[in-house]
Amino acid sequence: MANMAQAIRMALHHGEQKLGVTEIFGEDVGPPLGGVFTATQGLERSWNSPLDERGIIGAALGLAWAGGRPVAEVQFVDYIFNAIDMLKLAANGHWASGGKYKTPMVVMTPTGSGIHGSMYHSHSFDSVATKLHGMKVVCPSTPADAYGLMISAIKSDDPVLYLKPKALLRTRGEELLPGEPDEKTLHDMIDAPLGDRTKWKPKWPKLGEYSVEIGKAKISHPGSAATVVTHGRMAPICLDVARRLKADGKGEVEVIDMRTLIPYDWEAISASIKKTGRVLFVNEETEITNFGEHLIRRTVDEMFYDLKVRPRLLAGKATPGIALSPNLEYFIQPQTADVERAIGELLADPA
Amino acid sequence: MANMAQAIRMALHHGEQKLGVTEIFGEDVGPPLGGVFTATQGLERSWNSPLDERGIIGAALGLAWAGGRPVAEVQFVDYIFNAIDMLKLAANGHWASGGKYKTPMVVMTPTGSGIHGSMYHSHSFDSVATKLHGMKVVCPSTPADAYGLMISAIKSDDPVLYLKPKALLRTRGEELLPGEPDEKTLHDMIDAPLGDRTKWKPKWPKLGEYSVEIGKAKISHPGSAATVVTHGRMAPICLDVARRLKADGKGEVEVIDMRTLIPYDWEAISASIKKTGRVLFVNEETEITNFGEHLIRRTVDEMFYDLKVRPRLLAGKATPGIALSPNLEYFIQPQTADVERAIGELLADPA
Amino acid sequence: MPAKTPVKSSAKAAPAASSDPYKKLGAARLLEIHELMVRSRLLEERLIKMSKGGDGFFWIGGPGEEAFNVPLGLHVKKGHGVNHDFLHLHYRSSAIVQALGGKPIDALRQMRSVATDPYSKGRNFVNHYAIPEWNIVPISPTIETQYSTSIGTGIAQARAKTDAITIVNGGDAGSAEGDFHSCLVWANRPVLPLPILIVVVNNGWGISTKEETQHGERHIADWAKVFPDMPGKTIDGNDVVSSWNALDEAFAFIRKNRKPYLLEARCSRLYGHSSSSGANRIPEADCIELLEKNLVSRGLAKADALKKVWAAEAAALDAAHQQVKQEPFPAVETVWQDVFADGLPPSYPTKGGS
Amino acid sequence: MPAKTPVKSSAKAAPAASSDPYKKLGAARLLEIHELMVRSRLLEERLIKMSKGGDGFFWIGGPGEEAFNVPLGLHVKKGHGVNHDFLHLHYRSSAIVQALGGKPIDALRQMRSVATDPYSKGRNFVNHYAIPEWNIVPISPTIETQYSTSIGTGIAQARAKTDAITIVNGGDAGSAEGDFHSCLVWANRPVLPLPILIVVVNNGWGISTKEETQHGERHIADWAKVFPDMPGKTIDGNDVVSSWNALDEAFAFIRKNRKPYLLEARCSRLYGHSSSSGANRIPEADCIELLEKNLVSRGLAKADALKKVWAAEAAALDAAHQQVKQEPFPAVETVWQDVFADGLPPSYPTKGGS
Ligand SMILES: Cc1ncc(C[n+]2csc(CCOP(=O)(O)OP(=O)(O)O)c2C)c(N)n1
Ligand SMILES: Cc1ncc(C[n+]2csc(CCOP(=O)(O)OP(=O)(O)O)c2C)c(N)n1
Ligand SMILES: [Mg+2]
Ligand SMILES: [Mg+2]
């Protein structure tokens, strides 16, 4: 099974071979490194940019206007905050120009905590991302979704912000991509060797068609006792807790992995809440002005009388940063035990 | 009565005379203009910076670290988005340094719509502002509050983001500042003349002590039928609607003008909701990941059983920008009629 | 390679001799330029009037820059796609757009923000163009960001087999922003130099802030001194012929060498910053007056004929303005158009709250 | 005024003659420098070991920059407030901090993120100092932002009657960021030039990206060519004496003239970028080896004595490390300290959700 970084790499390879991607760039994105998480290793069109996030987004926007389908990387989402205005330009250009200019570009960037990243390798970005109106925002939690969403992001005529959960980039999923070779074979084919890489070239496996539609959530675990809406790093944790609860006979929890934050799949979310009457929104960004709070507000607006118990949020604590010392990080950022507790309370709340 | 720009000017004058403010700067902040809204006219310590928002925030931060109490301006909040990382540094420096470095600085910037400002003179900023954890965030809606909050912002050892509602900067309030001269006299004393200003000097009125504590909301209109929580441009509109409803015998609505967004006055808000059981949150930022949604989430968390009806939000529409053509702006941004409708529905909702 | 030292050309060219630069450029070209300059000027003056008369709101524009902007527009390889020049402009670029063939009526439409505004559907300020047919990318009110986006079209053209280039245009004060730095750095990368004409129009002001208080460099073009491969030049942008010749040289250099060129043009700001500062006429050198003097004194045109140009352009503008006044404002639901390229999903929140 | 043209000083100074720069600097000073360099190096190597051994996580630091950073630290007018020098450093500045008197054990504490970490209470990465007593402002992981904040302390010092200055330090790749531009522009404003020593340590790399692929300027110090009043110089930062002399000149210039100075130091990056790239020793010039060779060959020190310095420093570090291993990790509630200077209001949300 591919890990998420490999899956993204394979999708980008498909992008440069078949979908018209001619520029894949960012800090350390090109050879020899191929990205700090190896997501751009071995690609033909990847190159190293100057250390300048504003220039990176600006270049992507210009390339999109020139008819390209660029894929630009910001090395960590923690370092995107000097270029929010540029992201806004990407997001609003189509609307500002009265529909005259489309902006087919992908900005990908690692997001979230879980790698002992301290204050500047642990940031989440959902709140700002979901306010860049005009921008589509996706965030996969499995390698297959990572592949499928990248294909759709590249094909999109809208700008797409592609959030890669840092903690999941090296994890493997349960689904195989069509035609995907086994783990060892894949490794030998597409992972760069240690040491000198100047003569190395990857051998790309032939994969079947696969994509994941932007705007469509996934029910990663069906259930009717309660609904958990999540994405990114928290998605596999929620899935794992739901499986254990089921195995232990403690309740069947429906886990919705949003996959797309904008435009989000309200149909899937509201259908599930209608069924269960109980809902918990889980993400790892801080709890003040959190995207999950928008979903709670909408739930209250539209489904107040479908709710059996009050809707809940599990999110990060509103400290000025995420601390390095592991017990501090685990305290600030939601962990498995927090999900267990929150789902437990949700199920136990008398209707 | 002073208008809001004059009130801010007088507070800054007090700041440079008595509170140790030695640098007041930003684009066009110094002579001859004294700020695009005249809020820094006639001050001794005001000066024009380069056209560089990153440098402006960086300079303020360095000045704060050097022991100063700088007041920096970003000309419009619409142009702050290239420097969010700098604001984050200001916000998290005290925490990141384990409490070693305080950051007494004020960043003031005009916010919101209402001046036919189109896409880049109409922005709101509450969502990002309330996520700059470590930063205090204030937003006055009257000249007296503007004065009082500026005094407290200058005195604060924390960084304070001071949001000035664009649409209110030239409006006058109902309260006088202690010792404030009449409108005409004040104008002759502190407003720069048209034409040549090189020899002009303001005469500053002697005002009594006045300040507004950061973190304290104001009940601008008492009532027990319903609670409306708002701030900035929407505050006088909500007040006006509440007064008319009362005059028409249609209900006594309690209007809470938050004044401080971070740390917000939850005591005042929750006490009012406890009393009324009905609450509407009103602000002009777009409705996805809106600060009012945080307050709704907290209301649902902590006061679910105090609520007679579902809590509500009135906010801006989530378009990529605010359009220039007035009917479009009025459609996108909440106006008086929208507040009337929303409060009407809140009051009418059967418990 | 052109001189690295900024050259201050003089506005007072000696009218005699066959080497006279005006005569060299020739009456036909000069009269074409003159007409476009007059059209642009009258357009801006009309926009100001509309702003003052309640026929629209904020005005910002480029009166005073016509002697540089019209020649610039006439040098553009106009069209769509990487084989044509790209333009990353700002709010003072109207004369460039007019030189390319922009219709004055469309600017009036954007000023009045009527439904027919072809550049933004009544959404953006006047003089914020977006014309894909001519590679004019959307103008944003955010100062200097065009210098960052110009990198992208520059890269596309550096890769393509073409002589087309990217032009970016902005003001003196804006050069303090990091985007100016980004443009310089990226345009001069050894592995992929970019064919960008980096223009700075220096009018001596950023709103109310004087150039000389903020700039430690002698000329903004001196930023070129950092890069051995990038020429830098300062010219008198109030003079048509200085502008024309400098643009000739710069365009030719970039088209051929596929490398950047930094050009600073000193121009007047004839109506101040914007309507916010009153938009009244400022006593600075007027490039059209200057051109007319140069034309008449050389016998390249008759004063009468020049006056007729003004009258004809004014009449056309009157008619256009009358028409625009009849046009409807955009319907409110139009704000939901163009949010996404593939349409608004049915469940997108559109109520503005509960 | 010092030369505007970058001077490439040679690491191989001729050891003979009374004009020998090493001898001029003198044994006492050189041995002081040597000891601080060894202390800094051993500290970094210990930190790397801790990172690899699970005694902490991410490592990033400055082994290879000691020959420049120690002399820099020794030039600082150390203390608190505007009458002392301010330092805006980055994650490779450990040797500057050691030269100022920083305790190695405190860096170990930050590496292990224990409660006693005096720089961040276990919150930030190692080598992210914040020392108000010595005007070392908080180091942030965000590349180049220190160039923007240096403007502020520079302004404070330009206003004050003092000879104190601001020093800002960062890497070559980071100079592509707009903050570098901001620093150049603001430091050179005619109305208020700033007394800032603008340092760029050029190690030839930004993580995996080679300098020569991204820089169109011949030397980073060439950015000084834009400003007639700002000297610019490139030196061999692997050589103690070149560093010392260049710093002498730069500090003196700034203290006296209250104007900026741009200094580029070419240094080795001895353990690669960080623990993410393995943190293994790279075969580049080692400035301590070089210094020891120069000392011994000139008879300014005996090899034995130098070895003893290593041993003594290593022993002290062992002891410090043992102690740190005993120290507790921070308690979880400490994350609520320092959010605001005046304490956390009782109603601040602290649950992380419902
Ligand atoms: C990023 C940003 N900051 C501030 C502003 C507000 N603003 C509009 S024009 C202007 C001055 C621009 O001066 P200059 O670059 O010299 O161009 P000019 O207007 O003189 O042509 C300012 C500060 C803005 N539009 N964008
Ligand atoms: C704003 C920002 N962008 C990206 C990064 C990630 N990053 C950390 S170090 C580094 C390379 C820095 O290179 P250089 O400036 O030459 O300094 P060096 O590490 O070589 O000393 C990068 C890209 C960051 N920390 N901050
Ligand atoms: Mg200007
Ligand atoms: Mg480097």
Side-chain angles (χ1 to χ4, degrees):
Chain A
M1 269 162 301
N3 66 29
M4 192 185 282
Q6 290 173 322
I8 292 171
R9 217 187 291 162
M10 291 192 286
L12 291 173
H13 170 70
H14 185 74
E16 59 181 19
Q17 296 301 312
K18 308 279 176 173
L19 305 175
V21 173
T22 57
E23 312 289 338
I24 300 168
F25 62 100
E27 296 158 17
D28 305 293
V29 157
L33 195 59
V36 287
F37 289 97
T38 74
T40 50
Q41 228 172 48
L43 298 169
E44 264 175 40
R45 302 305 201 120
S46 68
W47 48 275
N48 293 336
S49 76
L51 204 175
D52 173 23
E53 291 76 16
R54 300 182 60 69
I56 290 169
I57 311 291
L61 190 42
L63 282 160
W65 285 337
R69 297 196 168 268
V71 178
E73 173 164 277
V74 171
Q75 195 164 74
F76 290 90
V77 84
D78 311 67
Y79 302 126
I80 210 168
F81 292 89
N82 58 2
I84 306 299
D85 61 327
M86 300 303 304
L87 293 173
K88 287 175 77 81
L89 285 187
N92 70 29
H94 186 247
W95 192 83
S97 67
K100 284 278 170 76
Y101 269 92
K102 296 200 195 330
T103 317
M105 60 187 262
V106 180
V107 176
M108 61 176 186
T109 182
T111 190
S113 69
I115 60 165
H116 301 297
S118 180
M119 293 190 66
Y120 277 90
H121 297 79
S122 304
H123 256 100
S124 291
F125 192 60
D126 303 349
S127 60
V128 179
T130 55
K131 285 198 96 68
L132 300 168
H133 309 310
M135 179 82 74
K136 292 181 172 169
V137 184
V138 302
C139 183
S141 79
T142 69
D145 284 349
Y147 183 96
L149 284 169
M150 181 57 82
I151 299 295
S152 297
I154 291 169
K155 287 182 178 170
S156 170
D157 281 338
D158 286 306
V160 178
L161 183 66
Y162 184 104
L163 300 169
K164 310 187 268 194
K166 287 167 206 150
L168 303 183
L169 279 161
R170 288 179 180 135
T171 62
R172 296 175 194 283
E174 299 167 0
E175 302 156 83
L176 282 182
L177 291 165
E180 188 187 322
D182 68 78
E183 200 174 308
K184 165 85 175 64
T185 310
L186 185 65
H187 168 72
D188 293 343
M189 289 175 80
I190 71 167
D191 286 347
L194 295 178
D196 183 30
R197 295 171 176 185
T198 43
K199 270 163 213 132
W200 171 75
K201 275 205 167 159
K203 292 202 193 70
W204 298 99
K206 264 216 153 60
L207 300 182
E209 289 286 315
Y210 189 75
S211 70
V212 170
E213 196 182 332
I214 293 177
K216 290 279 173 261
K218 171 173 76 179
I219 294 176
S220 64
H221 189 268
S224 54
T227 301
V228 174
V229 181
T230 187
H231 67 276
R233 179 179 74 85
M234 300 310 295
I237 295 177
C238 292
L239 173 59
D240 176 52
V241 172
R243 282 181 176 162
R244 279 191 284 120
L245 285 171
K246 184 176 176 184
D248 296 349
K250 291 190 180 154
E252 307 219 343
V253 173
E254 182 143 297
V255 178
I256 297 184
D257 182 348
M258 294 187 73
R259 304 196 293 193
T260 296
L261 305 191
I262 299 290
Y264 57 85
D265 190 347
W266 180 244
E267 287 78 5
I269 295 169
S270 57
S272 180
I273 298 174
K274 197 155 206 117
K275 177 169 68 178
T276 63
R278 296 173 188 263
V279 63
L280 169 70
F281 296 91
V282 181
N283 66 63
E284 57 176 325
E285 207 182 9
T286 60
E287 66 172 309
I288 301 178
T289 317
N290 178 295
F291 175 55
E293 296 180 321
H294 166 67
L295 297 172
I296 287 184
R297 192 268 297 175
R298 191 158 182 190
T299 301
V300 168
D301 275 356
E302 300 184 16
M303 314 194 67
F304 199 62
Y305 301 103
D306 297 311
L307 291 173
K308 293 187 185 135
V309 301
R310 64 183 168 85
R312 286 161 163 86
L313 176 73
L314 174 62
K317 296 195 171 67
T319 51
I322 290 165
L324 177 59
S325 205
N327 52 339
L328 303 187
E329 173 174 343
Y330 301 152
F331 179 69
I332 293 170
Q333 290 294 91
Q335 307 298 327
T336 304
D338 301 302
V339 174
E340 282 168 355
R341 180 188 47 72
I343 296 182
E345 286 170 15
L346 179 69
L347 290 171
D349 195 349
Chain B
M1 269 161 303
N3 67 29
M4 192 184 283
Q6 291 172 322
I8 292 171
R9 217 188 289 162
M10 292 192 286
L12 291 173
H13 171 69
H14 185 74
E16 59 182 18
Q17 296 301 312
K18 308 278 177 177
L19 305 176
V21 173
T22 58
E23 312 289 339
I24 301 167
F25 62 100
E27 295 157 17
D28 305 293
V29 157
L33 194 59
V36 288
F37 289 96
T38 75
T40 51
Q41 228 171 47
L43 297 170
E44 266 174 38
R45 303 304 201 121
S46 68
W47 48 275
N48 293 336
S49 76
L51 205 176
D52 173 23
E53 291 76 18
R54 301 183 58 72
I56 290 169
I57 310 292
L61 191 42
L63 282 159
W65 285 337
R69 295 195 169 271
V71 178
E73 174 164 277
V74 171
Q75 195 163 72
F76 290 89
V77 83
D78 311 68
Y79 301 126
I80 209 167
F81 292 90
N82 57 4
I84 305 299
D85 60 327
M86 300 303 303
L87 293 173
K88 287 175 77 81
L89 285 187
N92 70 29
H94 187 247
W95 192 83
S97 67
K100 285 279 169 76
Y101 269 92
K102 295 200 196 326
T103 317
M105 60 186 263
V106 180
V107 176
M108 60 177 187
T109 182
T111 190
S113 70
I115 60 165
H116 302 298
S118 179
M119 293 190 66
Y120 277 90
H121 296 80
S122 304
H123 256 101
S124 292
F125 193 59
D126 304 349
S127 60
V128 178
T130 56
K131 285 198 96 70
L132 299 168
H133 308 312
M135 179 82 74
K136 292 181 170 167
V137 184
V138 302
C139 183
S141 80
T142 70
D145 285 348
Y147 183 96
L149 285 169
M150 182 56 83
I151 299 295
S152 297
I154 290 169
K155 287 182 178 169
S156 169
D157 281 338
D158 285 307
V160 178
L161 184 67
Y162 184 105
L163 300 170
K164 311 187 270 195
K166 286 166 207 152
L168 303 181
L169 279 161
R170 289 180 178 132
T171 62
R172 296 173 194 285
E174 299 168 0
E175 301 156 81
L176 282 181
L177 292 165
E180 187 187 320
D182 68 76
E183 200 174 309
K184 165 87 175 63
T185 310
L186 184 65
H187 168 71
D188 292 343
M189 289 174 79
I190 71 166
D191 286 347
L194 294 179
D196 183 29
R197 297 171 174 183
T198 43
K199 269 162 212 132
W200 170 75
K201 274 207 168 157
K203 291 201 193 71
W204 297 101
K206 264 215 151 61
L207 300 183
E209 289 285 315
Y210 189 76
S211 70
V212 170
E213 195 182 333
I214 293 176
K216 290 281 173 258
K218 172 171 76 178
I219 295 177
S220 64
H221 189 270
S224 55
T227 301
V228 174
V229 182
T230 186
H231 67 275
R233 178 177 76 85
M234 299 310 294
I237 295 176
C238 291
L239 173 59
D240 177 52
V241 171
R243 282 180 176 163
R244 280 191 283 120
L245 285 172
K246 184 177 176 183
D248 296 350
K250 292 190 180 155
E252 307 218 341
V253 172
E254 183 144 293
V255 178
I256 297 183
D257 182 349
M258 295 188 72
R259 302 196 295 192
T260 295
L261 305 191
I262 299 290
Y264 57 84
D265 191 347
W266 180 245
E267 286 79 4
I269 295 169
S270 57
S272 181
I273 298 174
K274 196 154 208 118
K275 178 168 70 178
T276 64
R278 295 173 189 264
V279 62
L280 168 70
F281 296 91
V282 181
N283 67 63
E284 58 176 324
E285 208 181 8
T286 59
E287 65 173 307
I288 301 178
T289 315
N290 178 295
F291 175 54
E293 295 180 323
H294 166 67
L295 297 172
I296 288 183
R297 191 268 297 175
R298 191 156 181 191
T299 301
V300 168
D301 275 354
E302 301 184 17
M303 314 194 67
F304 199 62
Y305 302 103
D306 297 309
L307 291 172
K308 293 187 187 135
V309 301
R310 65 183 168 86
R312 285 160 164 86
L313 176 73
L314 174 61
K317 296 194 172 67
T319 51
I322 290 166
L324 176 60
S325 204
N327 54 339
L328 303 187
E329 173 174 343
Y330 301 153
F331 179 69
I332 293 171
Q333 290 294 91
Q335 308 297 326
T336 304
D338 301 302
V339 173
E340 282 167 355
R341 181 188 46 73
I343 296 182
E345 286 172 14
L346 179 68
L347 291 170
D349 196 348
Chain C
M1 182 178 302
K4 295 285 291 186
T5 321
V7 173
K8 284 254 183 183
S9 72
S10 159
K12 291 162 210 140
S18 72
S19 72
D20 173 62
Y22 279 81
K23 293 198 172 146
K24 242 175 115 188
L25 194 49
R29 178 62 91 182
L30 286 164
L31 291 175
E32 178 195 11
I33 292 172
H34 174 264
E35 185 180 35
L36 288 164
M37 288 171 70
V38 170
R39 182 175 304 156
S40 306
R41 175 69 58 81
L42 286 173
L43 170 59
E44 291 288 12
E45 289 176 342
R46 176 69 53 139
L47 296 171
I48 291 170
K49 222 167 153 181
M50 289 173 74
S51 166
K52 293 188 179 179
D55 206 6
F57 299 98
F58 184 71
W59 168 81
I60 193 159
E65 300 192 4
E66 297 89 348
F68 181 75
N69 283 347
V70 168
L72 194 162
L74 293 177
H75 276 81
V76 168
K77 195 175 161 190
K78 185 173 102 175
H80 178 75
V82 287
N83 294 321
H84 297 89
D85 293 349
F86 271 97
L87 293 125
H88 300 249
L89 306 178
H90 74 146
Y91 49 72
R92 299 210 197 282
S93 304
S94 54
I96 298 176
V97 177
Q98 290 304 310
L100 285 168
K103 289 194 220 127
I105 193 171
D106 286 336
L108 305 185
R109 287 171 165 141
Q110 194 172 37
M111 182 71 206
R112 204 173 137 83
S113 59
V114 288
T116 48
D117 158 20
Y119 307 129
S120 72
K121 292 191 179 168
R123 295 168 186 167
N124 218 336
F125 281 150
V126 70
N127 279 324
H128 285 66
Y129 302 92
I131 312 179
E133 300 76 28
W134 304 337
N135 280 349
I136 298 179
V137 305
I139 294 179
S140 168
T142 48
I143 294 287
E144 217 67 5
T145 51
Q146 70 273 27
Y147 289 81
S148 285
T149 56
S150 74
I151 296 166
T153 56
I155 292 172
Q157 291 170 322
R159 303 275 196 213
K161 290 229 172 316
T162 177
D163 68 351
I165 73 167
T166 285
I167 298 118
V168 57
N169 185 22
D172 49 302
S175 69
E177 295 273 12
D179 304 87
F180 186 63
H181 187 72
S182 297
C183 186
L184 296 178
V185 167
W186 288 66
N188 285 285
R189 287 171 68 232
V191 292
L192 191 74
L194 303 181
I196 308 186
L197 174 57
I198 306 173
V199 174
V200 178
V201 173
N202 185 345
N203 57 21
W205 295 95
I207 305 188
S208 70
T209 301
K210 276 200 175 157
E211 179 209 359
E212 51 270 32
T213 61
Q214 308 298 334
H215 290 263
E217 70 275 30
R218 281 211 193 92
H219 301 280
I220 293 174
D222 286 353
W223 287 96
K225 291 183 175 175
V226 180
F227 300 98
D229 284 355
M230 179 172 69
K233 202 171 197 174
T234 302
I235 61 144
D236 178 0
N238 283 336
D239 183 62
V240 165
V241 170
S242 303
S243 298
W244 185 274
N245 291 341
L247 287 160
D248 251 10
E249 178 184 295
F251 272 87
F253 174 87
I254 305 166
R255 289 207 197 288
K256 175 155 175 262
N257 298 291
R258 318 307 295 153
K259 285 189 178 164
Y261 190 115
L262 175 57
L263 184 61
E264 175 188 13
R266 304 224 45 137
C267 292
S268 296
R269 190 182 69 165
L270 277 185
Y271 284 85
H273 177 69
S274 71
S275 55
S276 300
S277 50
N280 297 314
R281 179 65 184 240
I282 309 286
E284 289 188 20
D286 179 335
C287 59
I288 306 188
E289 262 176 51
L290 189 73
L291 173 62
E292 294 190 345
K293 232 181 267 169
N294 275 313
L295 289 174
V296 173
S297 70
R298 282 171 175 84
L300 293 166
K302 291 239 163 78
D304 265 18
L306 297 178
K307 273 207 186 108
K308 275 190 195 142
V309 173
W310 289 89
E313 291 296 332
L317 209 49
D318 278 339
H321 192 177
Q322 284 315 314
Q323 180 176 332
V324 170
K325 280 187 180 163
Q326 317 299 320
E327 293 177 347
F329 292 105
V332 295
E333 312 78 45
T334 61
V335 304
W336 297 119
Q337 296 169 5
D338 316 315
V339 175
F340 298 114
D342 56 355
L344 204 70
S347 68
Y348 191 85
T350 55
K351 288 199 288 183
S354 302
Chain D
M1 179 177 304
K4 295 286 291 184
T5 321
V7 173
K8 282 256 183 182
S9 73
S10 159
K12 289 163 211 138
S18 71
S19 72
D20 173 61
Y22 279 81
K23 293 197 173 147
K24 240 173 117 188
L25 193 51
R29 179 61 93 184
L30 286 165
L31 292 175
E32 178 196 10
I33 294 172
H34 173 263
E35 186 180 36
L36 288 164
M37 288 171 70
V38 170
R39 182 174 306 155
S40 305
R41 175 69 58 81
L42 285 174
L43 171 59
E44 291 289 13
E45 289 175 341
R46 176 70 52 140
L47 296 171
I48 291 170
K49 223 168 151 180
M50 289 174 74
S51 165
K52 293 188 180 181
D55 205 5
F57 299 97
F58 184 70
W59 167 81
I60 193 159
E65 300 192 5
E66 297 89 349
F68 182 76
N69 283 348
V70 168
L72 193 161
L74 293 176
H75 276 80
V76 169
K77 197 177 159 190
K78 182 174 105 176
H80 178 74
V82 286
N83 295 319
H84 298 91
D85 293 349
F86 271 97
L87 292 125
H88 300 250
L89 305 178
H90 75 148
Y91 49 72
R92 298 211 198 281
S93 304
S94 53
I96 298 176
V97 177
Q98 291 304 311
L100 285 168
K103 289 195 219 124
I105 193 172
D106 286 338
L108 305 186
R109 286 172 165 140
Q110 194 171 37
M111 183 70 206
R112 204 172 137 85
S113 59
V114 288
T116 49
D117 158 21
Y119 307 129
S120 72
K121 293 190 180 168
R123 294 166 186 168
N124 218 335
F125 280 150
V126 71
N127 279 324
H128 285 66
Y129 302 92
I131 312 180
E133 300 77 29
W134 304 337
N135 280 347
I136 298 179
V137 305
I139 294 179
S140 168
T142 48
I143 293 289
E144 217 67 4
T145 52
Q146 69 273 28
Y147 289 81
S148 284
T149 57
S150 74
I151 296 166
T153 56
I155 292 172
Q157 291 171 322
R159 303 276 196 213
K161 289 229 172 316
T162 179
D163 68 350
I165 72 165
T166 285
I167 298 116
V168 57
N169 185 22
D172 49 302
S175 69
E177 295 273 12
D179 304 87
F180 185 65
H181 189 71
S182 296
C183 186
L184 297 177
V185 167
W186 288 67
N188 285 285
R189 286 171 70 232
V191 293
L192 191 74
L194 303 181
I196 309 185
L197 173 57
I198 307 172
V199 175
V200 177
V201 174
N202 185 344
N203 58 20
W205 295 95
I207 305 187
S208 71
T209 302
K210 277 203 173 155
E211 179 208 1
E212 53 269 31
T213 60
Q214 309 296 333
H215 290 264
E217 69 275 31
R218 281 210 192 92
H219 302 280
I220 292 174
D222 286 352
W223 287 95
K225 291 184 176 175
V226 180
F227 301 99
D229 284 357
M230 180 172 70
K233 204 171 194 174
T234 302
I235 61 144
D236 178 0
N238 282 336
D239 183 61
V240 166
V241 170
S242 303
S243 298
W244 185 274
N245 292 341
L247 287 160
D248 251 10
E249 177 183 295
F251 272 85
F253 174 88
I254 306 166
R255 291 209 195 286
K256 174 153 176 267
N257 297 291
R258 319 306 296 152
K259 284 188 176 162
Y261 191 115
L262 176 58
L263 184 60
E264 174 188 12
R266 303 225 45 137
C267 293
S268 295
R269 191 181 69 165
L270 278 186
Y271 284 85
H273 177 67
S274 71
S275 54
S276 300
S277 49
N280 297 315
R281 179 65 184 242
I282 309 285
E284 289 189 20
D286 179 335
C287 59
I288 307 189
E289 262 176 51
L290 190 71
L291 174 63
E292 295 190 343
K293 233 182 265 168
N294 275 313
L295 289 174
V296 173
S297 71
R298 283 172 174 83
L300 293 167
K302 292 239 162 76
D304 264 18
L306 297 179
K307 275 210 185 105
K308 277 192 193 138
V309 173
W310 289 90
E313 292 294 334
L317 209 51
D318 278 339
H321 193 177
Q322 284 314 314
Q323 180 177 330
V324 170
K325 281 188 180 163
Q326 315 300 319
E327 294 176 347
F329 291 104
V332 295
E333 312 79 41
T334 62
V335 304
W336 297 117
Q337 297 169 5
D338 317 313
V339 175
F340 297 115
D342 56 357
L344 203 72
S347 68
Y348 192 85
T350 55
K351 288 200 286 183
S354 303

